[in-house]
Every structure is written in C-alpha cells, then in structure tokens.
Amino acid sequence: MKSIMFFCIPAHGHHNPTFPVVKELVNRGNTVRFYSFNEFKEKVEATGATFISCDAYLAEVTKKVESGEETMSTTDMTIVDLQSTAKMDSFLQKEVEEFKPDIIVSDSVCFWGKLTARKYKIPMVVSTTTFAFNKQSASYMKSSFAEIMDLIKGQKRVKAELKNLEQHGYHEKSIMPLVQNDNYTDTIVYATEKYQPFSNTFSKHYAFVGPSVSADYLLDKKNKRPRVYISLGTVISNKPDFYKKCIEALKGEAVDVIISCGRVVDPESINGLAENVKVYRNVNQLEVLSKANVFLTHNGMNSTSESLYMATPMVLFPQTNEQRAVARRAKEMGAGIELKGESVTEIHDAIMEVLNNGKYADAAMSCSDDFRSALGPKGAADFIEAAPHLMPEEDKKNIRREIIPGVLQLVFWCVMIAFMFSFKPLTGSDKWWIVAIVANVIFPFYKKMVARLV
C-alpha cells in the first residue's frame, strides 16, 4: 500500500474527474492526502481521502474573479499560481517530511504540486483533465492575437516570479516545462485513445483512461417532449442576456428546457419567462444529461466528456482557447455543431438541427460506447500504483526530439521580445507591435523548419 499526495487547482472541472480515482485508491488500502480547497472539502472526504485545506496559501485575486464575474488572463493566472507556490513552500515541506509520500499526483496546471514533486524528487503522475498537448495535438489550440500579446507582454513578470521561487529551492528557468506535456512523465489523461487527438504520438508513459464518472445513470432518451439542457459551466457563466436569448429561442417550441446558470446569475431573474423553461443555479449534471436530447455547452472537457458518456449530442459554444480545442474534437466526432453566433435565431436553429437530425445522436452514442469501454478509474488507479514507470530505451531517444524544438522555439520568442524592447532605440518609432504581428505570422513556418531539422 502506498502513501499518495493529490494536488489540484481550485476548479470543479479539474477536481471532478479525480474523485472516482481517489476513491478507488482508498478502497484498495492506499493512504491519500488531498490538498484542495474548502469548497471541495465535502466531495474530497466522500472519497475516503484526508482533506488538507490550501485556501490560506492562495495568492490574492479580485473578488469579481473569485465570484466568477470576471476571468483572468493566462499571464495573471500563471503569476497567481507561482505566487501561491511560494506561499505554500514551508507548509508543503512539513507535509512531505511528515507524510513521506511514495507518489505525488498533480493536476497538469497545478504548479505547487509539480514543483513539490521535483524539489523533493518524489515520483509524480500528472492528472490531465483536458487533452494532452504535444507539438501535433497543439494544433487544436488556436490562440487569439490578444492571447498571444498577453503572453508576450507577460514574459517579464513571469520570469520575475520564477526568479523569486529560486530562494525556495525551485530552479525553473522557464514556465514551459510546468505547463506542457512531454513523453517521459507518467501522465493520466481522462480521454480515450480514440477521442484524444494524435494519441499515437504519445509514449507509453500515458494512460488514456477515458472519462472518470462518479455516478452512472441509465440512459433514458425517450421523453414525451425533447429535453434541452443549457449550461456554461462554473467559470464563465455570467451571461444573463444569453440565457434570456435561449429562452426566447425555445419558448415557442414543444421542448422542455433546463438551464444551469451558475453562481453569479440569480435564477429568479430569469425564471418565469417561459412555461417550458426552468432555471437553476446548479443541477446534478450527469442525471440531467442521462435524459437530455441536446446539450448547449461551453465545452469544458468535463462537461463535454459527461455529455458524450451520456450519449447526448451538443450545440458547441466554447468560451476559451482550451474549450475551443475540445469543441473542435467533438465536432470532428460528429457529435455536435458549432453555435456560430448568439442571436435568438442562431440559437434556435442550432438546437433544432441537433434535435431533428439523428446523425448527431448516433455519433454521441458511438462516443458513449467508446467511453464506457475505457479503463476508467480502476485503470487510472492501476497506473498510479505502478508508478514510476521505467523509461524504455526508445523513449530516451525521443527526449532529444522533444526538447530541442522547444528550446529553439523559446529562443525565437526571446529574440522577438528583445527586438520589441529595442525597437524604438533602433528605429525611433513607437510601433513595436509590428514586430509582434510579424513574429506571429512567421512562427508557424519557423516551427516547421525546426521540425525538419530535428
């Protein structure tokens, strides 16, 4: 039996898939300490794991971000995570010395979990609740110009936080090793090989276990009237006007509608606008999806996986870069169509197309069959208990192919950033942003050239 430390960020979509896995590990006699946050305390303790609160060590965020009214940029989230790591250092040192873990399981974007494993040289398994991303599957992540500019402008701030971490014994020269997947770190992915883009390009250090579902409901799609479920998740759900448009779009149709509006919007401000629509702050999503005939979703990995597990086709309405990648894959599988705009007509037509065209339901059922035949929580527990997995000789050869392109790409952006800062002294012009545009245009060609050379 093993002593296992679990780490996760304060996000429902990252916590939920882990709970069945933790429960399975505890049931097998392993001792699990789950380093989480107070809002997840009840769910963590229900698995049998020991809940350890990390709320006191989170770096400060604005109240609007904490409540879900506003979102943070990628740079700001990175900085908050690095600052939180510094705050947790002494606390986690004591925990490691007392608990003496055999394994650390860390969410893929939980910096304090990953860095603790590296600092104390403890075998680590990464828990990836979205797709695994390498240079092939990264093509699914299409960053906007604003997102790229945020990353470029934030480099100096991020480097300052990494420098601050050095005094605590964390020697990370770049943020990239903390956020990217590689082919030599043991990793659980909550997707099947069929659903994961380019799954054949990942090493044997990856276990594609499929969705980790905490409860199973019998599918019951034969409703007297079609059932429509609408939810934008827990992070970017402050869209009362959008919910009202959904109600307007469906109030004249012979369908029953459930809207989960999240913690920011008051359900009573929308309830009563149509007899066939009921609005709640939150619902038992798996139970609702087991009976729903269509799901209008933001395409968080967790929600999309649960929808396909329950054979529910979707109207795809992604809000972030990561969600756009998930939506693209669901569309490729034939299990949904993209909502092109937010008008009443566009919402109506998209939902009715999925309801009236059986090919979407058939594709969702095919995905459900695939998901239900996956390794699941038991396979994930097997993988964790067997860690660390020794690196095959072929994997060692592949490290060079993994690392060199990343280093050369980092050099490219360092040169571009340096050029931007020196643009005015060299040219006398304030139009440094021209360099950013040119860099964004030529970078894909540079990547292809590097790939050929390696």
Side-chain angles (χ1 to χ4, degrees), residues 82-152:
L82 292 173
Q83 291 174 344
S84 297
T85 302
K87 285 188 172 185
M88 289 187 195
D89 179 59
S90 297
F91 160 66
L92 291 178
Q93 180 180 350
K94 292 177 183 177
E95 289 291 311
V96 168
E97 290 173 352
E98 176 200 331
F99 189 49
K100 296 179 174 56
D102 299 301
I103 303 168
I104 284 179
V105 181
S106 175
D107 184 81
S108 58
V109 290
C110 183
F111 295 168
W112 50 90
K114 286 184 167 182
L115 286 170
T116 298
R118 292 179 184 180
K119 180 177 180 178
Y120 299 104
K121 296 180 173 54
I122 300 167
M124 177 175 65
V125 175
V126 172
S127 172
T128 303
T129 54
T130 183
F131 294 131
F133 289 104
N134 59 14
K135 60 186 179 183
Q136 284 85 10
S137 59
S139 62
Y140 277 66
M141 296 282 278
K142 299 294 184 182
S143 297
S144 66
F145 178 73
E147 289 168 330
I148 292 170
M149 289 304 299
D150 167 66
L151 292 173
I152 292 173

Side-chain angles (χ1 to χ4, degrees), residues 4 60 79 145 149 192 213 215 277 357 401 411 430:
I4 305 170
E60 291 184 10
I79 289 170
F145 178 73
M149 289 304 299
T192 61
V213 177
V277 180
N357 192 329
R401 302 186 190 116
V411 168
D430 288 324

Side-chain angles (χ1 to χ4, degrees), residues 320-386:
T320 68
N321 195 16
E322 181 180 291
Q323 292 164 7
R324 285 189 284 273
V326 177
R328 174 181 167 182
R329 188 58 176 156
K331 185 177 179 180
E332 287 176 351
M333 302 297 284
I337 60 171
E338 185 178 353
L339 181 61
K340 297 295 186 182
E342 298 183 30
S343 72
V344 170
T345 299
E346 287 167 317
I347 293 168
H348 171 273
D349 292 350
I351 289 174
M352 298 312 294
E353 165 65 16
V354 176
L355 284 176
N356 294 327
N357 192 329
K359 70 178 184 180
Y360 301 108
D362 291 343
M365 182 60 75
S366 177
C367 289
S368 178
D369 292 339
D370 175 45
F371 285 8
R372 289 169 183 270
S373 65
L375 297 173
K378 291 184 178 180
D382 290 341
F383 189 82
I384 292 169
E385 287 182 329

